[in-house]
Amino acid sequence: MPEQKIKGTPLSQGISYGRSFLYEAIPFTKRSVEIRKEDVEKELVRFKKALKKTKESLEKLKESVKRRLGDEKAGIIEAHILMLEDPMFVDNIETTIKEGNSAEDAVFLTTMKIKSMFEEIPDPYLRERAADVEDVGSRLYRNLIGAKDLFLLDVREPLIVVAKDLAPSELIAISENNVVGLVLSQGGPTSHTAIIAKSLNLPTVSGIEMSLIPENCFLIVDGTKGEVVVNPSQSTLACARAKIEKLRREQREALSLKDLPAVTLDGLKVELWGNIAHPNEAGDVLSFGGSGIGLFRTEFLFMNRNDPPNEDEQFEAYRKTLSDMSPYPVVIRTMDAGGDKEIPYLNIPKEDNPFLGYRALRIGLTEEHLLLTQIRALLRSSSFGNLYIMFPMVSSIWEVRKAKDLIQKATCQLEKEGINYGTFKVGIMIEIPSAAIMAEELAKEVDFFSLGTNDLTQYALAVDRGNAKVSRWYDHLHPAVLRLVAMTSQATKKQGIELGICGEMASDPLALPFLLGLGLDELSMSPSAIPKIKRLVRKFRADTARRIAQKVLSMREANEIRKYLEEAISQL
């Protein structure tokens, strides 16, 4: 078969090559296979073998998750293992087999029966466990029908996994095997799968139909260009190998610069900070040469539990992070629940458009006790480091003033109780177009802005960033998005407040000259991306970046902008 190039959407940068491994999603459904009485024992044996294999797979997955994400996340997998040992689950399946059903149908029927029982429980946290029941049942079902188990792969040569989509847990599971790249049919640049692929340095391209990739063929995945090469020629493969070696040299060079400042050739300094979701990740920011935390996603403290963390629990998490990072700044975002982050005990109603619904600061201003508790914990922690408090999803001035009133209320309470607190700054995320348009007025109310370009792009372009069907329309280099960013930058300079960015644009090398040219104070990104961006900053001149930014703002098409920026970067 001759060489074939297929264009897709870049999700995670880098280049890799290997054999294709097609991971087909198996429909979890009743197959309506009746078995004879004399075959019942055989079906029970098949079920017990699949049960044993599923438990072994989950045990390995639990250890992997524990090493990478800690005990809390591993607890989710442990709960799945315990479900496989639950007599209600196991005995029900065996009884259903004895009634004349195949092992597959017995697993499906029992799973759906128990799932529906959970869905009828009034308690929202327990009701959400219905999804866990289905996850466990479908894993068992896959093993019964002999589907490939990604985690149990035992291969020596590099693999490119080709799939419709992968859950973040599946991606973490396979990353310890010899998987060097991903080709997906679904998923946008800011999906959770894309973010994890970046953190694992797995080149990834989406928007490619699985039917276009044969099983066990040779592939090159270019996650920078968004291109997959099927059956590459020797010359194409040699070119890819040269690019990979060049990237490795650049990575080594970038890591050697990690302790140096991010300063341009003509003396403009920009702070490079890290995005984290847990206090234990603060060390990663420092180890990659970051000089602060630009986004601590506190909603992850609220997830995978049946009630919100109390004030003391939150205080300890914030205190540890601030202490570990001191004297560097730590921007802590108040809970950003809703949208794609479900927290069952908040009783957020099912919505047709959750990204436009009841989420983030809207929840905090409605459920004031939740936000007030968080603010009290933040203020108490402010004595231990350089605290920036940030409110998400601001669309109007009244929201900022209401949030500031809660800060005032918290300070009064703490003073009356004789509890000390230190100094802190207050800021907001600019991620809704109305906030960018009103940036000059909003800048009078706060100490800093942080651009949340993932949502800003989504809302400005009316593109669901998790919907693969419209992923080609999602582009943070769209001129409308860049003009909103420039508008925000002008407002902060006029009012004299700080401006940073914590969206995926911050780690995009193509966007760097534009952001430098606007004079942003800090760029915050996944810690592992900091060395690469620092290396590029140190190769630029600020006056060149300013010219590039002005040129970009005069352009009308994203493709034109992308091509121009690619040329600018290549000249380095």
Side-chain angles (χ1 to χ4, degrees):
M1 180 178 174
E3 174 179 299
Q4 181 185 10
K5 292 183 180 179
I6 308 171
K7 191 69 179 171
T9 302
L11 291 197
S12 177
Q13 295 186 1
I15 302 173
S16 62
Y17 57 87
R19 290 280 173 189
S20 62
F21 177 90
L22 271 59
Y23 181 66
E24 288 279 3
I26 304 296
F28 189 35
T29 184
K30 189 172 186 290
R31 306 174 100 191
S32 299
V33 177
E34 291 188 13
I35 59 170
R36 297 173 299 177
K37 282 185 179 181
E38 55 267 32
D39 291 331
V40 166
E41 196 58 40
K42 193 184 297 181
E43 290 299 296
L44 287 169
V45 170
R46 286 182 62 233
F47 164 63
K48 287 173 184 174
K49 284 183 179 178
L51 186 67
K52 183 173 182 285
K53 185 177 180 182
T54 306
K55 285 171 69 175
E56 289 172 351
S57 175
L58 285 173
E59 287 286 358
K60 290 183 179 180
L61 178 56
K62 183 184 76 172
E63 291 306 312
S64 173
V65 172
K66 187 175 181 178
R67 281 195 304 273
R68 290 162 176 262
L69 301 176
D71 290 337
E72 185 179 341
K73 297 293 188 296
I76 301 169
I77 309 300
E78 176 64 29
H80 288 193
I81 294 168
L82 291 174
M83 203 175 297
L84 289 173
E85 298 170 351
D86 189 333
M88 182 173 74
F89 185 67
V90 176
D91 293 353
N92 241 301
I93 293 172
E94 291 183 347
T95 299
T96 310
I97 291 172
K98 290 171 184 175
E99 290 171 352
N101 294 282
S102 67
E104 291 88 343
D105 284 353
V107 168
F108 174 77
L109 290 169
T110 299
T111 300
M112 292 299 106
K113 177 182 174 182
I114 297 175
K115 179 188 174 190
S116 66
M117 289 166 57
F118 272 91
E119 288 173 336
E120 291 170 8
I121 296 173
D123 181 88
Y125 177 77
L126 291 175
R127 193 165 60 244
E128 287 294 327
R129 302 286 65 78
D132 292 327
V133 174
E134 185 168 8
D135 190 349
V136 171
S138 62
R139 279 179 179 273
L140 188 50
Y141 186 90
R142 286 182 64 86
N143 281 325
L144 273 167
I145 63 176
K148 298 170 183 174
D149 189 327
L150 280 175
F151 188 69
L152 294 179
L153 285 179
D154 183 17
V155 291
R156 295 185 180 179
E157 65 176 329
L159 287 184
I160 306 291
V161 172
V162 181
K164 184 176 180 181
D165 196 7
L166 286 173
S169 61
E170 291 177 312
L171 182 49
I172 293 166
I174 65 170
S175 61
E176 288 194 349
N177 295 308
N178 205 4
V179 174
V180 296
L182 303 174
V183 177
L184 304 175
S185 301
Q186 298 179 0
T190 57
S191 65
H192 287 170
T193 299
I195 291 169
I196 292 173
K198 289 173 188 173
S199 68
L200 295 171
N201 293 315
L202 280 177
T204 306
V205 176
S206 76
I208 306 238
E209 290 299 322
M210 289 184 68
S211 59
L212 299 176
I213 311 290
E215 176 74 89
N216 201 36
C217 71
F218 211 73
L219 298 179
I220 296 174
V221 176
D222 189 330
T224 305
K225 293 169 66 176
E227 186 176 82
V228 176
V229 184
V230 182
N231 293 319
S233 66
Q234 286 302 312
S235 60
T236 301
L237 186 57
C239 184
R241 285 174 174 149
K243 286 180 181 178
I244 291 169
E245 184 53 40
K246 180 172 179 285
L247 285 172
R248 286 175 179 159
R249 287 198 304 271
E250 290 173 355
Q251 287 168 354
R252 289 193 293 268
E253 180 189 342
L255 284 170
S256 72
L257 302 172
K258 75 178 184 66
D259 296 325
L260 297 177
V263 58
T264 63
L265 294 170
D266 48 354
L268 175 68
K269 186 178 181 183
V270 61
E271 299 296 335
L272 300 184
W273 296 352
N275 298 339
I276 69 168
H278 192 279
N280 293 341
E281 296 172 9
D284 293 341
V285 177
L286 296 172
S287 67
F288 281 109
S291 56
I293 290 173
L295 175 63
F296 181 172
R297 303 181 181 95
T298 62
E299 56 274 10
F300 291 95
L301 298 175
F302 291 75
M303 298 171 77
N304 298 317
R305 50 189 298 154
N306 56 13
D307 53 16
N310 63 35
E311 184 180 318
D312 287 340
E313 284 181 84
Q314 293 189 59
F315 163 72
E316 281 301 322
Y318 309 147
R319 180 202 59 76
K320 174 176 170 47
T321 309
L322 286 160
S323 298
D324 289 351
M325 291 299 298
S326 185
Y328 296 124
V330 177
V331 180
I332 302 183
R333 182 177 70 186
T334 60
M335 183 182 64
D336 185 14
D340 59 347
K341 305 181 194 80
E342 291 190 14
I343 300 180
Y345 57 79
L346 292 181
N347 291 317
I348 300 172
K350 293 292 182 185
E351 299 172 307
D352 291 335
N353 295 295
F355 279 102
L356 302 179
Y358 184 54
R359 59 172 297 203
L361 187 58
R362 296 169 183 178
I363 296 173
L365 295 181
T366 305
E367 306 284 341
E368 282 193 10
H369 63 284
L370 283 173
L371 185 53
L372 184 62
T373 298
Q374 184 168 28
I375 291 171
R376 281 176 56 97
L378 286 166
L379 295 182
R380 286 172 57 194
S381 71
S382 61
S383 301
F384 295 87
N386 189 356
L387 173 65
Y388 286 46
I389 300 173
M390 180 165 69
F391 296 107
M393 285 293 292
V394 167
S395 60
S396 304
I397 291 173
W398 72 264
E399 295 168 306
V400 181
R401 290 177 177 167
K402 187 87 179 288
K404 286 165 64 179
D405 286 344
L406 286 176
I407 291 178
Q408 183 62 37
K409 184 176 181 179
T411 58
C412 290
Q413 288 180 352
L414 294 177
E415 287 168 4
K416 283 181 181 178
E417 296 166 22
I419 299 174
N420 294 328
Y421 60 90
T423 59
F424 56 90
K425 293 183 178 181
V426 177
I428 62 172
M429 289 190 75
I430 303 295
E431 51 190 336
I432 297 177
S434 65
I437 293 167
M438 295 287 290
E440 192 170 324
E441 287 78 7
L442 287 166
K444 297 172 184 176
E445 302 287 334
V446 294
D447 304 309
F448 71 94
F449 284 165
S450 184
L451 287 153
T453 50
N454 299 351
D455 271 338
L456 185 63
T457 302
Q458 172 174 246
Y459 294 135
L461 304 181
V463 176
D464 179 351
R465 57 191 175 102
N467 186 340
K469 287 285 187 183
V470 294
S471 62
R472 59 186 280 205
W473 282 274
Y474 182 96
D475 192 344
H476 59 225
L477 295 180
H478 188 289
V481 177
L482 299 184
R483 289 175 194 181
L484 288 171
V485 171
M487 188 184 301
T488 304
S489 174
Q490 290 167 6
T492 57
K493 284 180 169 46
K494 187 171 181 179
Q495 297 301 326
I497 70 168
E498 297 175 47
L499 176 63
I501 176 174
C502 60
E504 289 299 303
M505 187 192 286
S507 61
D508 183 355
L510 291 184
L512 179 63
F514 176 76
L515 298 174
L516 282 177
L518 293 183
L520 269 71
D521 299 292
E522 56 91 0
L523 314 179
S524 190
M525 61 202 74
S526 172
S528 61
I530 292 173
K532 173 183 66 178
I533 296 299
K534 183 178 288 187
R535 173 181 172 273
L536 285 177
V537 169
R538 293 177 62 86
K539 289 180 178 290
F540 257 105
R541 293 185 61 85
D543 54 1
T544 302
R546 283 190 284 270
R547 286 197 299 272
I548 289 172
Q550 290 308 307
K551 176 70 173 174
V552 162
L553 288 171
S554 71
M555 295 179 173
R556 299 183 296 173
E557 288 284 348
N559 287 340
E560 179 189 13
I561 291 169
R562 191 174 294 278
K563 184 178 179 182
Y564 173 70
L565 292 174
E566 284 173 350
E567 290 173 358
I569 293 291
S570 69
Q571 288 174 13
L572 297 180

